[in-house]
Amino acid sequence: MSQQSTFLEELMAAGRGVIGLLIGNRQAGSYFDFSYRGLAGSFIAFLAVTGLNAVLPVVLGIKDPGGIGRAILMVAILFVLQLAFSAIVLRQLKRLDGLVPYVVADNWATFFLTLISGGLAAAGINGDAVLIVLGIVVIVIEVNIARLIVTLSPLQIAMFLIAQLVGVSIGLAIIGLAFPLPPDVAAQLASLS
């Protein structure tokens, strides 16, 4: 993709790229800007949606035991560990050249999926069915980023995704230990399962 002249044009092109990833379009990568300018733009979008996602529970009047700071810190921990484990695998596969394209596509996918899930939550549309559908969409997009953007083989894709899951699992364990839920919230969550 050529350099975008405005952030809005980059956003619109990235939206088409994310849709392309969702449907498995081999040309999906052509919509993203994999230059350092594009990397910066994807981080701007990622940070903006992270902030929005952290503030949304407050705006909707949902009690959040950790508040905005906890939400942002959780995203930061998960992002850093997912990125670190992805970089380790790409380095082992001698495909570190795919790291920037991966980060750009993943940041934009996170941006749009977070907007969609936040919009659904704001509209009161939530529950297990929505969570399952969004989970499937995330898996499809992650597989297609690895397949179409980073151009990994099927075995390499499996290794890449497993590494990301390990990174996120470690991050969730750290978050659970560092920020345990208050007893009343934990009891409410336990009663739901």
Side-chain angles (χ1 to χ4, degrees), residues 4-184:
Q4 298 297 316
S5 59
T6 68
F7 181 75
L8 182 60
E9 290 172 347
E10 184 178 353
L11 180 124
M12 299 300 287
R16 288 189 291 276
V18 171
I19 291 170
L21 288 170
L22 182 61
I23 62 174
N25 182 346
R26 293 196 177 280
Q27 303 304 315
S30 66
Y31 293 105
F32 297 103
D33 181 355
F34 297 130
S35 69
Y36 287 116
R37 181 185 181 281
L39 180 64
S42 76
F43 270 112
I44 290 168
F46 178 80
L47 293 173
V49 81
T50 297
L52 177 68
N53 199 38
V55 171
L56 188 61
V58 174
V59 172
L60 295 176
I62 299 170
K63 287 189 176 188
D64 184 7
I68 295 170
R70 180 178 189 253
I72 291 174
L73 189 58
M74 286 174 44
V75 169
I77 290 169
L78 294 175
F79 178 79
V80 167
L81 286 169
Q82 179 183 351
L83 183 62
F85 277 75
S86 298
I88 289 167
V89 169
L90 289 174
R91 185 170 185 261
Q92 291 300 315
L93 297 173
K94 298 182 183 359
R95 289 298 318 276
L96 210 48
D97 61 307
L99 186 61
V100 169
Y102 162 72
V103 172
V104 169
D106 190 64
N107 283 350
W108 281 113
T110 300
F111 173 81
F112 288 107
L113 290 173
T114 303
L115 282 181
I116 290 168
S117 66
L120 291 172
I125 303 170
N126 51 22
D128 291 342
V130 172
L131 190 60
I132 289 170
V133 169
L134 286 174
I136 291 169
V137 167
V138 168
I139 291 168
V140 167
I141 288 176
E142 287 297 323
V143 167
N144 282 336
I145 289 173
R147 182 174 71 93
L148 301 173
I149 304 292
V150 187
T151 64
L152 298 177
S153 70
L155 182 59
Q156 291 173 331
I157 292 170
M159 292 169 56
F160 189 64
L161 294 178
I162 289 170
Q164 289 178 358
L165 287 173
V166 169
V168 168
S169 298
I170 291 171
L172 291 173
I174 291 169
I175 290 166
L177 292 172
F179 306 104
L181 291 174
D184 58 330

